[in-house]
Amino acid sequence: MSDLNAAMATIAQKTEQFLEAHLTAQQLSAPLPAPERLINAVRHGALNGGKRLRPVLVHLTANLFPQPAGDLIQAGAAIECVHCYSLVHDDLPDMDDDDLRRGKPTVHKAFDPATAILAGDALLTHAFALLADGNCHPDPALRNQLVIELVEGAGVGGMAGGQMRDIEGERKGYDPETISLIHAMKTGALIRASVRIGALMGGASKDELAVLTQFGEAAGRIYQLADDILDATQSSEQLGKTAGKDEAQGKSTLIASHGLAHARSALQDELNDALPLLTPFGDRAAPLAQLVTHFAERQS
Amino acid sequence: MSDLNAAMATIAQKTEQFLEAHLTAQQLSAPLPAPERLINAVRHGALNGGKRLRPVLVHLTANLFPQPAGDLIQAGAAIECVHCYSLVHDDLPDMDDDDLRRGKPTVHKAFDPATAILAGDALLTHAFALLADGNCHPDPALRNQLVIELVEGAGVGGMAGGQMRDIEGERKGYDPETISLIHAMKTGALIRASVRIGALMGGASKDELAVLTQFGEAAGRIYQLADDILDATQSSEQLGKTAGKDEAQGKSTLIASHGLAHARSALQDELNDALPLLTPFGDRAAPLAQLVTHFAERQS
């Protein structure tokens, strides 16, 4: 675990440094000078000292392979820009209307809603240039594929579609199948894209990519199940955010419909199914297996 | 003129057809099923029977060259998605708060603000996949370049940055230099990107690209100057939108600071400088020259 923690901390730190250096007026003033206020809002939304879980997934998946090519930190940073854009927009008054994120004012509180809309738009926009850029990977055709993977993770069949389904659910009510689909789209699709982007940069064959896609989808479900259990069992203080939010919002998670014991057993089943998918990668798979086990253990 | 009008109508129609066929749940449900409401909002924002000026620019610029490669309609449609996303977000209550666009309710009026935010996000996201897709152009490295061109046109040094500067100007006041910069970013950057994307798909050399970039920047200024003159001289009815909006918003355009005659002469000067840039392209340049002349003549 301490090896994994050290690896995770290093990737998080390098991602933060990359974003710190890249999200500047100097780097992004093309063709014309970027306004300081927008750069500041973009940085407020992206430089938050997060765990950078998606970049970690890119890195650990690429390292299932003996010779990953390209700049894994740059690719991870692109996904992180998309993740951060989604937080900035989801926090808006017209969306979830959250004032705080990681103990800091959200972008629309620190600036204003119009600036937050633009900052989210800008993070989303610039993410794609990071993947299309020659430094990201030596093979231009593979860079095109990375762009398409990120679009699918973020688009109407992924994250944005998941947020739409979540908003519709708040009005119409949820059932467990809908909740699963919302999770798979809202959280799962970008986790899946992170694993696939790592696999592609590792040089995965078609078959390896298919297996790792399965693994990425399972990782998303494990992450979300553990999150649901945490939400139901921990205090807001332990959680660092409002606890019991799912129940308060009428979200019939697996816990509400089938109880906590069932959710814990479903989580264990998911983990038992996911880990063998990594067997073909031998010793190289240990960190990724540890990470997903760590996701599952968060709830205990 | 009638030849140009026919060509423009054909490109607009093909672009509309492309978007009509592409912006569907069937096309965009990867990895998971896109929600109908979001698809409908995306379509409401993008299928508006507009003039599709940016796709026209891509097409006419690529056709300065004897053998443009790739699918010019697909590339133009990608830029149009970005243009439409910007309209959807600019119309939001937290931004310009407009209820009508081309006589139809804006997306946030037809749906709601949260859906409009997501629909804009989705249009922006999927635009990049259209450029990265193999059908767009046979050369993968060039496709990456197209992605980067669109990011720069749309990003903090382009359209999003221009909108930010415009919002700041509403609070702090404008001077003519600021207005010019706002126009160059908010409208000019995507027009410039359209011309550059057309040039790249035409197979422009480095020098040709540089000349056409100058032309694209001039085309943006001409378009905007004519728009300013129209705003100052026509009734709302003639304009199809609220006239005198610039003056009412305290925007010191060239007209407010130097008068209408000066603005008309500046427009003529821009046109006189821009057209000779097309001379090296011979007869093939006639439609593009006509188009930009047409921009300038809108004000008379």
Side-chain angles (χ1 to χ4, degrees):
Chain A
M1 241 348 261
S2 67
D3 281 3
L4 176 65
N5 283 339
M8 287 177 72
T10 303
I11 297 161
Q13 193 187 6
K14 285 187 181 169
T15 304
E16 192 85 17
Q17 283 166 352
F18 183 96
L19 292 171
E20 169 72 45
H22 181 70
L23 299 174
T24 62
Q26 205 183 353
Q27 287 294 315
L28 300 181
S29 286
L32 288 160
E36 203 184 332
R37 180 180 177 83
L38 186 53
I39 291 286
N40 289 341
V42 159
R43 292 173 68 85
H44 188 96
L47 303 175
N48 54 27
K51 292 189 301 291
R52 310 300 186 185
L53 184 65
R54 289 150 196 84
V56 168
L57 280 167
V58 170
H59 196 92
L60 298 187
T61 308
N63 280 290
L64 294 174
F65 300 88
Q67 289 192 299
D71 187 332
L72 300 173
I73 292 298
Q74 179 162 332
I79 304 172
E80 200 61 18
C81 285
V82 169
H83 174 59
C84 292
Y85 122 74
S86 77
L87 301 180
V88 173
H89 279 190
D90 286 2
D91 287 339
L92 284 166
D94 285 329
M95 304 276 264
D96 297 345
D97 197 12
D98 276 317
D99 291 354
L100 288 174
R101 160 110 19 218
R102 299 182 168 275
K104 277 201 317 184
T106 48
V107 178
H108 67 90
K109 292 305 282 185
F111 296 83
D112 56 63
T115 304
I117 292 168
L118 289 171
D121 292 346
L123 280 166
L124 176 60
T125 301
H126 288 281
F128 295 104
L130 285 175
L131 296 180
D133 173 57
N135 183 58
C136 184
H137 194 278
D139 176 0
L142 194 127
R143 299 202 297 276
N144 292 148
Q145 184 60 33
L146 300 185
V147 168
I148 291 168
E149 294 293 338
L150 189 56
V151 167
E152 293 190 351
V156 297
M159 198 175 63
Q163 179 69 358
M164 181 82 264
R165 287 190 189 280
D166 200 3
I167 291 169
E168 287 190 286
E170 279 171 26
R171 292 168 194 167
K172 296 192 207 161
Y174 303 92
D175 55 54
E177 289 70 37
T178 308
I179 293 273
S180 296
L181 181 58
I182 290 170
H183 287 163
M185 295 181 82
K186 211 176 146 174
T187 323
L190 207 57
I191 289 178
R192 177 185 183 274
S194 304
V195 168
R196 283 175 61 92
I197 285 172
L200 289 165
M201 294 178 81
S205 68
K206 207 179 152 189
D207 287 351
E208 287 166 334
L209 183 61
V211 167
L212 289 172
T213 301
Q214 266 191 278
F215 178 81
E217 291 169 355
R221 288 191 297 270
I222 290 166
Y223 185 80
Q224 190 65 54
L225 268 170
D227 221 44
D228 292 347
I229 295 171
L230 276 173
D231 181 83
T233 55
Q234 301 232 323
S235 69
S236 298
E237 203 180 335
Q238 287 169 301
L239 217 52
K241 61 182 180 184
T242 316
K245 214 173 159 185
D246 291 344
E247 201 186 340
Q249 291 179 349
K251 292 195 186 174
S252 1
T253 62
L254 202 61
I255 299 169
S257 56
H258 294 77
L260 201 53
H262 180 87
R264 285 200 165 119
S265 128
L267 175 60
Q268 193 57 52
D269 289 348
E270 284 282 4
L271 191 63
N272 292 344
D273 288 349
L275 292 179
L277 296 170
L278 296 179
T279 309
F281 301 96
D283 288 350
R284 293 184 181 283
L288 191 55
Q290 264 192 312
L291 176 70
V292 174
T293 308
H294 168 67
F295 286 177
E297 283 169 353
R298 287 190 309 150
Q299 47 81 32
S300 64
Chain B
M1 244 344 264
S2 67
D3 280 2
L4 176 64
N5 284 339
M8 287 177 73
T10 302
I11 297 162
Q13 194 187 5
K14 285 186 181 172
T15 304
E16 193 84 17
Q17 283 166 351
F18 183 95
L19 293 171
E20 168 73 43
H22 182 68
L23 300 174
T24 61
Q26 204 183 355
Q27 286 293 314
L28 301 180
S29 286
L32 288 160
E36 202 184 334
R37 181 180 176 85
L38 186 52
I39 292 285
N40 289 342
V42 159
R43 291 173 68 86
H44 188 97
L47 303 176
N48 53 29
K51 291 190 300 292
R52 310 301 186 184
L53 184 65
R54 291 152 195 83
V56 168
L57 280 167
V58 170
H59 196 93
L60 298 187
T61 308
N63 279 292
L64 294 173
F65 299 89
Q67 287 191 302
D71 187 333
L72 300 173
I73 293 297
Q74 179 162 333
I79 305 172
E80 199 62 15
C81 285
V82 169
H83 174 59
C84 292
Y85 122 74
S86 78
L87 301 180
V88 173
H89 279 191
D90 287 1
D91 287 339
L92 283 167
D94 284 330
M95 303 279 263
D96 297 346
D97 197 12
D98 277 316
D99 291 354
L100 287 174
R101 163 125 356 234
R102 299 182 169 276
K104 275 201 317 185
T106 48
V107 178
H108 66 91
K109 292 304 280 185
F111 296 83
D112 56 64
T115 304
I117 292 168
L118 289 171
D121 293 346
L123 280 166
L124 175 60
T125 301
H126 289 281
F128 295 105
L130 285 176
L131 296 180
D133 172 59
N135 183 58
C136 184
H137 193 278
D139 177 0
L142 193 126
R143 298 201 297 275
N144 286 309
Q145 184 60 32
L146 301 185
V147 168
I148 291 169
E149 295 293 338
L150 189 56
V151 167
E152 292 191 352
V156 298
M159 197 175 63
Q163 179 69 357
M164 181 82 264
R165 287 191 190 280
D166 200 2
I167 291 169
E168 285 190 287
E170 278 170 28
R171 292 167 193 169
K172 295 191 208 161
Y174 301 92
D175 56 52
E177 289 71 36
T178 308
I179 293 273
S180 297
L181 182 58
I182 290 170
H183 286 164
M185 296 180 83
K186 212 176 145 173
T187 322
L190 208 56
I191 288 178
R192 177 185 184 273
S194 304
V195 168
R196 282 175 62 91
I197 285 173
L200 288 164
M201 293 179 80
S205 69
K206 207 178 154 189
D207 287 351
E208 286 166 333
L209 183 61
V211 167
L212 290 173
T213 301
Q214 265 192 280
F215 177 81
E217 291 170 355
R221 289 192 297 271
I222 288 166
Y223 185 80
Q224 191 64 55
L225 267 169
D227 221 42
D228 292 348
I229 295 171
L230 276 174
D231 182 83
T233 55
Q234 301 232 323
S235 69
S236 298
E237 203 180 336
Q238 287 169 301
L239 217 50
K241 60 181 180 182
T242 317
K245 213 172 158 185
D246 291 344
E247 201 185 341
Q249 291 179 349
K251 290 194 186 174
S252 357
T253 63
L254 202 63
I255 298 168
S257 56
H258 293 78
L260 201 54
H262 180 87
R264 286 201 165 117
S265 124
L267 176 60
Q268 193 58 53
D269 288 349
E270 284 281 5
L271 191 63
N272 292 344
D273 289 349
L275 292 178
L277 296 170
L278 297 179
T279 309
F281 300 95
D283 288 350
R284 295 186 178 282
L288 191 55
Q290 264 191 312
L291 177 70
V292 174
T293 308
H294 168 66
F295 286 177
E297 284 170 355
R298 287 191 309 150
Q299 46 82 34
S300 61

